[in-house]
């Protein structure tokens, strides 16, 4: 972690940073994709599913959980980092983990997660053989959308992967999701906002945009179809004052614990 349809069939795909372009044509046309309503009351349930509070109209849950009946459901997929099964990746797909000069996996130290190697077209296609079926599973379970997390992992790669690599892989993810009639959220990183149409993102799930002064950028880009999660009370309070009538804002504990668990925090403007 740390959560309007727009595709162009005429533009070339983003470069992968090595002189090779991603597949042309952007993400596949999102037939029957339904993005969330602007400013829909949202609950971020990654740490475990529980009955949503009465006002909630949209939830995000891990891909292993069932969607919430009657709500707009976003399926969380850790698409750019290896979690929670890092050992399985090392055993079965060691060539798809990003490695440093010593051959050791490059780790996101905040979450102790190895980064996936999206640096070449061949590796991105190989990763789609793994991540693609996860997206298919979200659709089969009845989700409305998918949230591919750690789009910004290139920022933690010591330069071994770039934003262009991330855009190229994200384009493959959005194409797969749109083919399954799932909307796709851009997860964080204002760097890729200029490429959102080409990649195929439909809305955004953003952590701590008030803290990092990014909420206006996301709100303008996605016409209010933005689910914001803040982890500090002061940032949440400031966000509610500034954007409480235009963006969907939530305060959560950083471990996104389920309701009833010690330390659970869940508030909305």
């Amino acid at each position: 972690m740390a959560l309007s349809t727009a595709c162009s069939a005429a533009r070339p795909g983003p470069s992968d940073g090595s002189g090779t372009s991603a597949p042309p044509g952007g993400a596949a046309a999102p037939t029957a994709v339904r993005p969330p309503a602007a400013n829909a009351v949202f609950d971020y349930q990654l740490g475990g599913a529980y009955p949503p509070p009465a006002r909630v109209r949209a939830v995000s849950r891990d891909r292993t959980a069932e969607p919430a009946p009657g709500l707009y459901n976003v399926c969380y997929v850790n698409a750019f980092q290896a979690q929670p099964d890092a050992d399985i990746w090392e055993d079965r797909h060691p060539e798809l983990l990003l490695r440093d000069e010593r051959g050791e996996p490059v780790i996101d130290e905040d979450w102790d997660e190895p980064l996936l190697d999206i640096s070449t077209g061949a590796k991105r296609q190989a990763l789609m053989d793994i991540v693609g079926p996860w997206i298919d599973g979200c659709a089969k379970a009845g989700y409305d959308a998918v949230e591919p997390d750690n789009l910004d992992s290139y920022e933690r790669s010591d330069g071994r992967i770039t934003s262009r690599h991330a855009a190229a892989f994200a384009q493959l993810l959005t194409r797969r999701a749109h083919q399954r009639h799932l909307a796709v959220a851009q997860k964080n990183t204002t760097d890729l906002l200029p490429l959102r149409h080409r990649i195929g993102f439909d809305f955004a799930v953003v952590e701590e945009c008030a803290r990092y002064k990014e909420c206006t950028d996301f709100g303008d880009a996605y016409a209010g179809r933005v689910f914001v999660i803040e982890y500090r009370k002061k940032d949440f309070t400031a966000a509610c004052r500034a954007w409480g009538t235009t963006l969907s804002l939530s305060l959560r504990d950083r471990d996104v614990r389920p309701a009833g668990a010690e330390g659970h925090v869940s508030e909305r403007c």
Side-chain angles (χ1 to χ4, degrees), residues 39 215 228 236 239-240 243-244 247-251 267-269:
N39 202 16
C215 293
V228 177
F236 174 69
C240 287
W243 301 287
L247 301 180
S248 179
L249 296 153
S250 304
L251 175 67
E267 297 181 27
R268 280 151 287 280
C269 296

Side-chain angles (χ1 to χ4, degrees), residues 4 38 218-226 246-247:
S4 80
F218 280 101
D220 290 348
Y222 288 105
R225 291 189 174 96
V226 182
T246 56
L247 301 180

Side-chain angles (χ1 to χ4, degrees), residues 36-183:
N39 202 16
V41 179
F42 177 67
D43 198 14
Y44 206 44
Q45 298 193 359
L46 302 192
Y50 53 89
R55 290 196 307 125
V56 167
R57 295 293 175 265
V59 299
S60 183
R61 290 177 170 177
D62 187 78
R63 65 182 179 85
T64 60
E66 293 296 318
L71 302 185
Y72 188 91
N73 286 274
V74 182
C75 188
Y76 174 91
V77 173
N78 195 351
F80 290 79
Q81 296 186 182
Q83 181 275 337
D85 301 316
D87 290 342
I88 293 177
W89 281 91
E90 186 67 77
D91 290 342
R92 299 181 183 176
H93 309 286
E95 75 286 357
L96 297 180
L97 296 178
L98 187 68
R99 297 186 183 274
D100 62 20
E101 64 278 358
R102 301 182 305 277
E104 296 297 322
V106 177
I107 303 295
D108 174 353
E109 295 182 357
D110 286 343
W111 299 100
D112 194 28
E113 296 176 8
L115 275 61
L116 301 179
D117 190 348
I118 57 172
S119 63
T120 70
K123 289 190 175 184
R124 291 191 291 271
Q125 290 292 344
L127 284 166
M128 283 303 300
D129 290 339
I130 300 168
V131 181
W134 297 349
I135 293 172
D136 299 346
C138 294
K140 185 176 181 180
Y143 280 89
D144 300 288
V146 64
E147 170 196 345
D149 197 17
N150 290 305
L151 176 66
D152 59 353
S153 61
Y154 62 89
E155 297 176 354
R156 302 180 286 278
S157 72
D158 297 324
R160 290 175 174 84
I161 52 178
T162 69
S163 62
R164 290 291 178 173
H165 297 141
F169 189 50
Q171 192 177 57
L172 296 177
L173 296 169
T174 59
R175 178 179 293 119
R176 183 68 163 254
H178 285 162
Q179 289 170 345
R180 304 299 185 265
H181 310 300
L182 296 170

